[in-house]
Amino acid sequence: VLRTADYRDNDKMLTLFSREIGRIDALSRGCKKTKSSLLACSQPFICGMYSYYIRQGKYYISQCEITDTFYALREDVERFSVAAYIAEVTEKTINHEEQNEKLFSLVANCFFTLKRENSALSTLVFYLVKYTDISGYRPNIYSCIKCGKKTAKSGNYFSGKEGGVICSECAKDIQSAKKISGDALKTIHGILSSQSKDIKEIAEYEYLYEIKEIYMKNIEDIIERKLYSAAFLDRIFINKL
Ligand SMILES: [Zn+2]
């Protein structure tokens, strides 16, 4: 469940993301009643086997066998804010009954990783870099996108808008270019070439934070919308540096 929205007195509209058929928006009727069998499964982040039926073109949840509630995320504000952000970006990306298996695997992988303590920032950065890649916006990180000069060990700039790394010379003319450290670039490269199964402590906090800043701006450009969860996430992480 990526999103829930109140609907009438006792119902909720759930946005589900499935491996097989992509996005489904289904009504969970009566789920706000305390005795409802759908109460527990009609919450954000719940993972399970949902059954549904279609009547007059509308989708209704009939039952659910919960696989995981991701309860740990609700008790940790950092991990919760990352989960909310991942859910919102994903929800804004997927289309009705359109399979997107790569994104589904990435999201599932990130949620299960977020169950571990201290996994918030590394999981967020992993998602940001992989999401950009899956969406077809993989930046060029090996050479300057303007003049083609090979990326130097340090002193590089980066612009998601322009599509990657820019050398210090060319960066003078590009407003969206922000400094990026050699370590941050190395980390991005590492994530792009890794299997989406291994999110580890991928780097030092500072590099991760640097990548987070660059990529989160980039993603708002890609999906062309402001994200509510991004502002919340920024408030949580800003105090750590
Ligand atoms: Zn250049």
Side-chain angles (χ1 to χ4, degrees):
V1 178
L2 296 180
R3 182 172 183 262
T4 69
D6 287 339
Y7 196 85
R8 300 209 192 98
D9 284 352
N10 293 313
D11 309 345
K12 280 186 190 177
M13 184 63 83
L14 311 186
T15 300
L16 305 168
F17 187 21
S18 70
R19 186 186 296 278
E20 294 80 10
I21 50 169
R23 180 189 184 123
I24 295 280
D25 290 284
L27 198 61
S28 180
R29 293 179 76 182
C31 69
K32 287 200 260 176
K33 292 182 187 161
T34 45
K35 282 184 181 159
S36 169
S37 61
L38 299 177
L39 176 73
C41 73
S42 302
Q43 316 290 335
F45 310 156
I46 300 287
C47 174
M49 296 295 283
Y50 287 77
S51 305
Y52 63 90
Y53 59 93
I54 306 169
R55 187 171 291 161
Q56 291 176 331
K58 285 186 178 151
Y59 291 69
Y60 298 90
I61 302 292
S62 50
Q63 57 179 346
C64 172
E65 201 179 303
I66 293 176
T67 313
D68 206 312
T69 60
F70 295 101
Y71 188 76
L73 308 188
R74 286 159 224 271
E75 297 192 310
D76 178 315
V77 70
E78 271 188 19
R79 288 184 284 156
F80 178 86
S81 70
V82 170
Y85 179 82
I86 290 175
E88 191 182 358
V89 172
T90 305
E91 186 262 318
K92 297 271 187 288
T93 305
I94 54 175
N95 297 316
H96 180 70
E97 289 198 11
E98 188 182 290
Q99 195 183 32
N100 190 339
E101 202 175 345
K102 275 188 183 162
L103 186 57
F104 183 88
S105 296
L106 173 63
V107 172
N109 188 18
C110 287
F111 267 82
F112 281 104
T113 306
L114 280 172
K115 289 170 77 170
R116 299 203 299 257
E117 280 181 41
N118 300 319
S119 60
L121 189 59
S122 52
T123 306
L124 172 65
V125 166
F126 193 90
Y127 176 80
L128 291 168
V129 174
K130 286 278 190 192
Y131 172 89
T132 311
D133 190 31
I134 289 171
S135 311
Y137 294 91
R138 184 178 192 151
N140 182 5
I141 53 172
Y142 300 103
S143 57
C144 172
I145 49 169
K146 291 292 168 190
C147 70
K149 201 162 78 186
K150 204 168 161 261
T151 305
K153 278 215 163 65
S154 60
N156 297 293
Y157 289 73
F158 189 92
S159 166
K161 218 172 168 181
E162 299 288 336
V165 171
I166 303 165
C167 73
S168 54
E169 227 8 75
C170 298
K172 287 172 189 159
D173 305 324
I174 297 165
Q175 245 196 346
S176 60
K178 299 266 177 295
K179 269 194 176 147
I180 187 164
S181 68
D183 290 317
L185 272 178
K186 222 158 73 185
T187 304
I188 294 171
H189 183 211
I191 294 171
L192 283 172
S193 56
S194 74
Q195 292 299 312
S196 61
K197 279 205 173 86
D198 43 59
I199 307 173
K200 286 176 230 136
E201 279 311 305
I202 34 187
E204 297 295 319
Y205 192 88
E206 282 86 336
Y207 315 148
L208 290 178
Y209 197 84
E210 204 182 325
I211 300 168
K212 167 202 166 293
E213 289 288 283
I214 290 169
Y215 270 76
M216 274 179 69
K217 276 193 195 75
N218 196 15
I219 279 184
E220 288 205 345
D221 289 339
I222 292 172
I223 60 178
E224 297 176 328
R225 281 188 232 197
K226 270 257 163 262
L227 297 161
Y228 295 110
S229 57
F232 174 59
L233 197 153
D234 275 336
R235 279 203 300 280
I236 302 299
F237 280 92
I238 201 91
N239 296 324
K240 291 222 30 179
L241 282 183

